[in-house]
Amino acid sequence: MSAHCQLTGRAPVFGKQISHSHRRSSRRFDPNIQRKRYWLPSEGRHVRLTLSAKGLRTVDAIGIEAAVARIRARGGKV
């Protein structure tokens, strides 16, 4: 599963892990990605979205219809 949010576009960022002795090694910060299935009444079907935790809260706030419209406006496939 790709670690990016379909709604907000959040993706992994890269940085350094610093040990106690301050030796640095590369690491990756992944967003909190969840897969969730929603009922889309306008199309009469379920859609499965890959969303970050903030994306889940956004869907709760604006509704699934508006969220799917935003994903499609960004060029995403639902």
Side-chain angles (χ1 to χ4, degrees), residues 4-52:
H4 90 283
C5 177
Q6 290 180 294
L7 182 59
T8 62
R10 288 183 181 227
V13 292
F14 297 89
K16 296 290 184 185
Q17 182 149 347
I18 303 177
S19 71
H20 182 69
S21 65
H22 275 268
R23 292 178 66 108
R24 290 169 170 84
S25 58
S26 294
R27 64 157 294 179
R28 174 175 152 149
F29 296 89
D30 284 325
N32 183 6
I33 296 294
Q34 310 291 325
R35 289 196 67 187
K36 179 128 169 88
R37 195 173 85 144
Y38 289 99
W39 173 252
L40 195 58
S42 64
E43 298 181 15
R45 68 183 181 105
H46 286 96
V47 292
R48 187 175 299 274
L49 299 178
T50 304
L51 301 170
S52 63

